[in-house]
Amino acid sequence: MIRHYVLFKFRPGVSWDDARAQQAEQTAAKVGGEVPELREWKIGRNISTRPVAYDFIVVGLLDDMDAVERYLVHPFHQEAIRAWREISDWVIADVEE
């Protein structure tokens, strides 16, 4: 099993008050129901105020790296990426469980 983590950091001038951020969050929330390779899907806003903290996280569980590759190119996942690309930068980690 592969646990897929993505942490998003808003670009300067973007906050949760921005309609684009709210739309990106809503789209991210739907990814788990749209991408069949995902066994689990969780999202959440960061609550830490530390300067190094990121603003948002998604966490998925997939069977293997082949499933990760299919997830990455899925059209709905690509739609979510477009929404986040406009307002944030991100880092990822794929961890074997």
Side-chain angles (χ1 to χ4, degrees):
M1 302 297 277
I2 306 296
R3 186 70 65 181
H4 176 71
Y5 299 90
V6 185
L7 289 90
F8 299 88
K9 185 123 178 125
F10 289 141
R11 292 190 176 142
V14 178
S15 73
W16 286 114
D17 294 332
D18 190 316
R20 298 172 301 167
Q22 295 169 28
Q23 180 60 43
E25 179 183 36
Q26 291 169 5
T27 302
K30 296 176 185 173
V31 170
E34 296 291 331
V35 180
E37 286 77 14
L38 287 163
R39 292 178 160 267
E40 293 177 8
W41 185 250
K42 297 178 183 184
I43 68 161
R45 291 184 183 190
N46 174 46
I47 59 171
S48 173
T49 58
R50 295 176 11 200
V52 298
Y54 278 64
D55 297 294
F56 187 71
I57 188 170
V58 299
V59 181
L61 182 65
L62 302 103
D63 287 333
D64 52 32
M65 287 307 292
D66 289 336
V68 171
E69 293 302 321
R70 290 190 304 275
Y71 150 80
L72 291 174
V73 299
H74 189 281
F76 197 86
H77 177 250
Q78 290 294 310
E79 181 179 328
I81 288 173
R82 282 189 292 277
W84 283 102
R85 184 177 291 131
E86 183 180 338
I87 61 170
S88 70
D89 296 306
W90 60 85
V91 295
I92 72 103
D94 292 322
V95 179
E96 283 189 301
E97 287 197 356

